[in-house]
Amino acid sequence: MLPDDSHIHTPLCRHARGEVSQYRDAARRLGLRGICFTDHAPAPCGYDPKNRMALDQFESYRLMVTDLQSKNGPAVRFGIEADYYPGCENFLPAWLADQDFDMVIGAVHFIDNWGFDDPDEHTVWKTVNVEDAWRRYFEIVTEMVTTGMYDVVAHLDLPKKFGYRPRDAETREMAAPVLDAVAGSGMAVEINTSGLRRPAKEIYPSQLLLDMAAERGIPICFGSDAHDPADAANGFKEAVKSACDAGYAEWVRYENRSSVKIPLEPV
Ligand code: ZN
Ligand code: FE
Ligand code: FE
Ligand code: ZN
């Protein structure tokens, strides 16, 4: 049986399609035991408004997801993908603590003011030093991890999305301190299959980084990052294979912000 899909969006973020019930139904057809909705968190300070719900839409998000929970399986859990960005400490810690989330995914989508994974800003990659950009990205991820606000690190090597990446030796050296921080924090890393649908044509994180996570005993969860019901659990067989190759024998899902370990079944 495939692992739960713990990274699913809804149209409230302004760049996804489909009803929450369609995501649930897609997961049911695939035989999944559970899914977790993790739409992009509101940011009342005005950070990246085109990609997220407004704060006053949050209650409809909560009801949309929790109303599905009373129906027949798969289990539907309630989460959020919360960006780490300058100034988020004025909002996120108190706000996250006030909600009844099962899981909070931490994500970095900006390197300073550059939306490096935004298709509208991808040409900037041609003008920067790729290795320096990755270094800065990993610095920001390390800061995010040390805040203690999140349960899971999203798409760990997201800067590869458009195909710009350092050589393996550099990647290994610059990622080691990040993964040490993740291991120290108790957070999990997600195996996010959306990279398969991007120019990178590769799961986040790469096998190299997943092997490094496994060496440190960092737990894993699985997410499609679906913004369309057709993408629910997309690429999960490949993701499970990658996890098995790294030596993983279990994955985690989150309930009430606590992780539950489940044996990983090879596919
Ligand atoms: Zn999104
Ligand atoms: Fe993301
Ligand atoms: Fe996402
Ligand atoms: Zn995402």
Side-chain angles (χ1 to χ4, degrees):
M1 194 182 280
L2 291 172
D4 290 9
D5 189 341
S6 297
H7 190 151
I8 294 179
H9 289 275
T10 83
L12 283 172
C13 70
R14 303 162 205 261
H15 59 276
R17 67 175 77 182
E19 303 294 322
V20 286
S21 60
Q22 293 178 288
Y23 289 90
R24 189 268 323 270
D25 292 348
R28 178 183 288 145
R29 283 194 295 274
L30 293 163
L32 298 195
R33 282 162 290 202
I35 58 173
C36 186
F37 286 94
T38 55
D39 212 355
H40 298 283
C45 65
Y47 163 82
D48 192 26
K50 73 175 181 178
N51 284 313
R52 59 202 59 259
M53 67 184 85
L55 185 57
D56 65 8
Q57 293 177 297
F58 176 73
E59 184 60 9
S60 57
Y61 171 59
R62 194 179 68 76
L63 291 174
M64 201 187 270
V65 173
T66 52
D67 278 357
L68 272 188
Q69 292 174 322
S70 57
K71 315 278 164 44
N72 293 331
V76 173
R77 284 180 286 274
F78 177 51
I80 201 89
E81 177 176 3
D83 281 34
Y84 177 71
Y85 55 89
C88 69
E89 59 277 11
N90 298 323
F91 170 67
L92 277 182
W95 184 76
L96 290 174
D98 261 359
Q99 316 308 328
D100 49 354
F101 290 128
D102 287 305
M103 168 185 185
V104 177
I105 302 181
V108 173
H109 294 104
F110 281 78
I111 297 172
D112 302 316
N113 286 320
W114 171 32
F116 67 89
D117 83 317
D118 185 336
D120 294 340
E121 298 187 47
H122 84 274
T123 54
V124 176
W125 277 105
K126 297 197 178 97
T127 71
V128 299
N129 178 307
V130 170
E131 191 181 319
D132 289 348
W134 278 64
R135 269 185 207 288
R136 180 70 189 123
Y137 166 80
F138 278 137
E139 274 176 22
I140 300 168
V141 173
T142 305
E143 278 177 29
M144 173 179 88
V145 168
T146 54
T147 64
M149 293 194 290
Y150 312 88
D151 303 312
V152 177
V153 186
H155 35 62
L156 179 64
D157 54 359
L158 183 60
K160 76 183 174 192
K161 179 173 179 176
F162 300 113
Y164 299 91
R165 54 197 303 168
R167 284 172 306 183
D168 283 356
E170 275 82 50
T171 304
R172 185 192 303 277
E173 171 254 311
M174 66 176 83
V178 188
L179 287 164
D180 290 344
V182 175
S185 73
M187 290 171 71
V189 160
E190 68 164 2
I191 303 189
N192 180 313
T193 57
S194 69
L196 293 170
R197 313 191 292 272
R198 308 287 178 238
K201 290 274 182 287
E202 189 184 277
I203 289 168
Y204 309 111
S206 64
Q207 195 67 44
L208 172 84
L209 293 177
L210 192 60
D211 289 349
M212 292 174 71
E215 282 164 20
R216 290 162 174 80
I218 296 170
I220 46 164
C221 61
F222 290 81
S224 65
D225 213 342
H227 289 71
D228 184 313
D231 288 330
N234 178 263
F236 268 31
K237 285 186 179 168
E238 192 171 327
V240 168
K241 183 174 183 309
S242 178
C244 290
D245 288 350
Y248 280 100
E250 54 191 25
W251 54 278
V252 293
R253 61 176 165 75
Y254 284 81
E255 277 178 36
N256 298 319
R257 310 282 318 262
S258 291
S259 66
V260 180
K261 291 178 184 165
I262 322 275
L264 181 64
E265 299 171 38
V267 289

